Amino acid sequence: MNNSGDPQYQEKLIAIANQLKNHAGCIVLAAHVDPDGDAIGSVLGASRALAALGKKVIPVAVAPRYLEWMPKAGELTPKLEVLPADALLLVLDSAEVTRVDGVPMNQVGIPIINIDHHGSNPRFGDLSLVSPDKAACAAILTDLVAALGVTMTAEIAEPILTGIMTDTGFFRNSNTDAGVMHTAAELLNAGVSLAKINEALSSQPRSFFKLQSEVYATIEYPLEEKMVTAFVNGAMLERLNASWEDVESLVGYIRNAEGTYLACLYKDYGDSVKVSLRSKGGVSAQNIAIACGGGGHVPAAGATINLPFAEARAKLLFEAEKELKRVGIL
Ligand SMILES: [Mn+2]
C-alpha cells in the first residue's frame, strides 16, 4: 500500500472505518457535480461495501449516459433535498464543499466524512482523508473496504476498478504508479472483468462519431504549435443530435497531437466557456485551470470562464503562455 500522500493515512482510514461501522443510522453517499467514472465508482463501491455490513445506505448521484451501465436499476437516488435526521454523510472525490452534488452540505447535526484525492481539498468535514498520491478516490476505497473488514466481491470491485480506470486514462496517464496497479490486481482477484468494463466504457453512440469529425475540423495549434485546441458549442451538438456528454472524452484524443504539451477543449455555452485541459512534459494543466478560476490535477484540469468565447480564449491563452514559459517550452 502506498501511504506517501498522508503520513497518517492508515490512522485516518481506521478512524473513518470505525465511525462508519459504529453509525447506527443511515449513510448517505455523494460525490462531485458532473460526475465522472471515479465519482460514480466511488459512490457505488463504498455504498455496496457498507450495505454488505448491513448498513442502510442512500447513494446519491446521477450517472451520465456513458456510465449508465454502472448502477443497478434504482440503486442511485438522484437528489436529496433534506437528509434523514439520523444520517451520516460520506462525501467522495469532491475537492470542495461547493462541488458536492445532490445533497445539502449545511444541515445541522449531520456528521460529514470527506474522502478524496485532490490535493487542493481543504479537508472539510468532521473526519477527512485526502491522499493526493492516490490516482483515484476509488483507490482509497479499496483500502477502506479492507479497513471495514468487508470481503471484496466482484460487485464492489467493479465500480471501484472503473473509477481507477477512468481516472488513470485506462492506466496510461502519469498517475499510474505501481501502487495503483497493485490495487487493480487486488480488484481483478475479486473476480471483476477488465474486458467488460473496457467494452462498456468504450462504446459510443453514432452521434459521437459525427461530432468527432466536426470537432476535429476546429483544431488549432496556438503558442508556436506547442498547444492544441478544439472547439464545440451548443449549435454543433443540436445539428448533429449529439449531447454535451458526447464531448467528454474528446480532449483525451486531441492531447495526443504530436509535438504539443497542452490540450484544451473549449465548450462554448454562450455567456461562459468551459475549458478542459490536459498537459504533459512538466506542464501543469492545474496551474492554468486555477488561474482561470477552476481546479483539478496537474495533468488534467478544467475551469469555467464566465466570459464570451473570444475573451475566454484570450484569457486561457494568456495563462497557457505563462505556464509554457514557466517550464521553458516557450
Ligand atoms: Mn477522482
Side-chain angles (χ1 to χ4, degrees):
M1 192 188 299
N2 181 356
N3 294 348
S4 63
D6 184 334
Q8 279 139 18
Y9 183 85
Q10 198 59 26
E11 217 173 286
K12 290 180 178 177
L13 192 70
I14 300 291
I16 288 174
N18 285 338
Q19 188 171 358
L20 289 168
K21 276 194 281 194
N22 294 334
H23 186 72
C26 81
I27 297 170
V28 176
L29 302 97
H32 61 78
V33 289
D34 253 329
D36 54 12
D38 192 25
I40 300 291
S42 294
V43 165
L44 289 175
S47 130
R48 289 176 187 179
L50 290 165
L53 270 182
K55 298 290 170 190
K56 182 175 185 313
V57 290
I58 309 179
V60 177
V62 177
R65 196 210 61 243
Y66 73 102
L67 300 175
E68 270 172 2
W69 58 274
M70 291 182 69
K72 290 179 274 189
E75 186 174 9
L76 291 175
T77 296
K79 193 178 173 65
L80 279 184
E81 298 288 350
V82 179
L83 302 174
D86 68 351
L88 177 155
L89 184 55
L90 176 56
V91 176
L92 301 163
D93 199 33
S94 301
E96 286 165 51
V97 173
T98 52
R99 294 268 299 155
V100 183
D101 196 25
V103 293
M105 287 298 290
N106 52 2
Q107 195 174 318
V108 177
I110 300 291
I112 295 177
I113 297 178
N114 163 19
I115 300 180
D116 186 27
H117 70 127
H118 296 88
S120 59
N121 187 306
R123 280 74 174 162
F124 62 86
D126 300 289
L127 282 178
S128 69
L129 175 57
V130 177
S131 208
D133 67 314
K134 294 285 187 179
C137 180
I140 304 174
L141 295 183
T142 313
D143 299 333
L144 181 68
V145 170
L148 286 169
V150 171
T151 305
M152 183 63 81
T153 61
E155 196 178 61
I156 300 170
E158 185 179 272
I160 293 181
L161 184 56
T162 305
I164 290 173
M165 287 166 72
T166 51
D167 261 24
T168 58
F170 299 83
F171 303 109
R172 284 178 303 202
N173 297 346
S174 57
N175 58 359
T176 308
D177 57 13
V180 78
M181 296 301 257
H182 278 290
T183 301
E186 268 178 55
L187 296 165
L188 290 176
N189 274 335
V192 57
S193 164
L194 189 74
K196 181 198 158 190
I197 297 174
N198 234 327
E199 257 171 53
L201 285 172
S202 308
S203 165
Q204 299 284 2
R206 293 179 184 197
S207 55
F208 169 83
F209 297 100
K210 284 190 288 180
L211 180 68
Q212 191 152 259
S213 70
E214 287 228 4
V215 172
Y216 282 177
T218 71
I219 283 180
E220 290 178 3
Y221 298 95
L223 301 181
E224 297 175 21
E225 308 199 339
K226 300 296 189 247
M227 181 177 178
V228 55
T229 69
F231 172 90
V232 63
N233 65 15
M236 291 163 73
L237 298 178
E238 218 168 289
R239 191 169 61 246
L240 300 170
N241 198 19
S243 70
W244 287 108
E245 282 180 15
D246 291 328
V247 177
E248 282 314 311
S249 55
L250 281 171
V251 70
Y253 294 102
I254 63 167
R255 77 189 287 273
N256 297 318
E258 202 174 17
T260 65
Y261 295 84
L262 178 65
C264 172
L265 178 67
Y266 299 109
K267 297 177 212 169
D268 181 2
Y269 297 114
D271 48 3
S272 69
V273 177
K274 189 170 172 191
V275 293
S276 299
L277 302 165
R278 299 290 182 272
S279 63
K280 53 192 168 188
V283 176
S284 169
Q286 187 183 46
N287 283 350
I288 301 164
I290 288 172
C292 293
H297 305 282
V298 171
T304 297
I305 305 174
N306 291 312
L307 292 170
F309 177 68
E311 291 159 61
R313 177 177 182 276
K315 165 81 177 156
L316 190 269
L317 290 179
F318 175 78
E319 297 300 341
E321 184 175 4
K322 257 200 323 204
E323 175 61 17
L324 292 182
K325 282 184 172 156
R326 183 188 69 83
V327 296
I329 286 167
L330 285 181

